[in-house]
Amino acid sequence: MIDFIWLVLFLAGIVTAMFTGNMSKVADAIIHGSERGVTLSIGLISVIALWLGLMNIAEKAGAIAWLSRLLRPIARRLFPSVPVDHPAMGAILANMSANLLGIGNAATPLGLKAMHELQTLNEDKETASDAMCTLLAINTASITLIPTTVIAIRMQYHSHEPTAVVGTTLLASAIGTAFAIVLDRVFRKLSRRRRAA
């Protein structure tokens, strides 16, 4: 569906440019935009590689295990249907820890593993469980301490303070995560009422 939306937007821009006589500007924008995209991507590779390397060292040093222990009481409250000693809880904690540290590459497979493990606990295999919905909401909003990609982009464009966004990113992602948890609980209650009726 998103591909279709992008295609419609692209075609609408081309058609508008044709009727307004701005096709040369569109062609220039496409060429210069692709040049800037390639330049930005190449510049980001080194910074992201550095951050991922540092986060990998932190992971091997036990930072994710430490964060998992720190997050365990919160996870118990967020996922009351998941037994504490079940592999799903371990995967959930590892996923939350990786997201918190800004290691999106590590968080994705951990999130998929957590969903797989939650499916083993799910009684109705055709419908997502409450825990699965909660994990999806938290994983999508995801509090982030170190927004590595944003910092890398700011460094690429020679920002004087590329890490100045850390505080606002932390605040915004914390608000987003809190809102996601609230909405998860609201929709869960609405769903239960609808099933009971």
Side-chain angles (χ1 to χ4, degrees), residues 134-154:
T134 302
L135 178 62
L136 182 63
I138 290 171
N139 202 10
T140 303
S142 160
I143 295 177
T144 305
L145 293 176
I146 306 168
T148 55
T149 305
V150 176
I151 292 171
I153 290 171
R154 290 174 56 87

Side-chain angles (χ1 to χ4, degrees), residues 186-197:
V186 167
F187 284 117
R188 186 180 299 180
K189 286 181 182 178
L190 290 174
S191 176
R192 285 186 185 147
R193 285 185 191 159
R194 202 170 353 155
R195 278 185 255 155

Side-chain angles (χ1 to χ4, degrees), residues 14-186:
I14 297 290
V15 170
T16 302
M18 285 182 354
F19 285 115
T20 58
N22 291 321
M23 274 309 285
S24 61
K25 290 180 182 177
V26 171
D28 288 343
I30 290 171
I31 291 169
H32 292 299
S34 61
E35 283 177 13
R36 283 192 304 262
V38 169
T39 303
L40 177 64
S41 297
I42 290 171
L44 285 176
I45 289 171
S46 60
V47 177
I48 289 177
L50 171 69
W51 276 109
L52 289 176
L54 289 173
M55 291 304 152
N56 195 15
I57 291 168
E59 180 182 4
K60 290 196 186 330
I64 288 189
W66 177 78
L67 270 174
S68 292
R69 283 193 302 278
L70 192 68
L71 293 172
R72 188 173 298 277
I74 297 168
R76 276 192 220 142
R77 290 186 57 106
L78 290 172
F79 303 95
S81 63
V82 180
V84 177
D85 57 346
H86 194 276
M89 185 60 81
I92 289 168
L93 288 168
N95 173 264
M96 290 171 64
S97 299
N99 274 325
L100 195 62
L101 291 173
I103 316 171
N105 292 350
T108 300
L110 292 169
L112 292 172
K113 181 175 173 32
M115 283 293 189
H116 177 73
E117 294 294 340
L118 288 172
Q119 183 67 0
T120 63
L121 296 171
N122 193 0
E123 294 173 11
D124 181 4
K125 302 297 183 193
E126 298 298 317
T127 305
S129 67
D130 289 345
M132 293 169 99
C133 293
T134 302
L135 178 62
L136 182 63
I138 290 171
N139 202 10
T140 303
S142 160
I143 295 177
T144 305
L145 293 176
I146 306 168
T148 55
T149 305
V150 176
I151 292 171
I153 290 171
R154 290 174 56 87
M155 288 175 72
Q156 178 69 23
Y157 285 105
H158 310 292
S159 171
H160 293 289
E161 294 184 44
T163 58
V165 297
V166 171
T168 54
T169 301
L170 179 60
L171 178 65
S173 62
I175 291 170
T177 302
F179 196 65
I181 292 168
V182 168
L183 284 178
D184 174 60
R185 296 301 189 242
V186 167

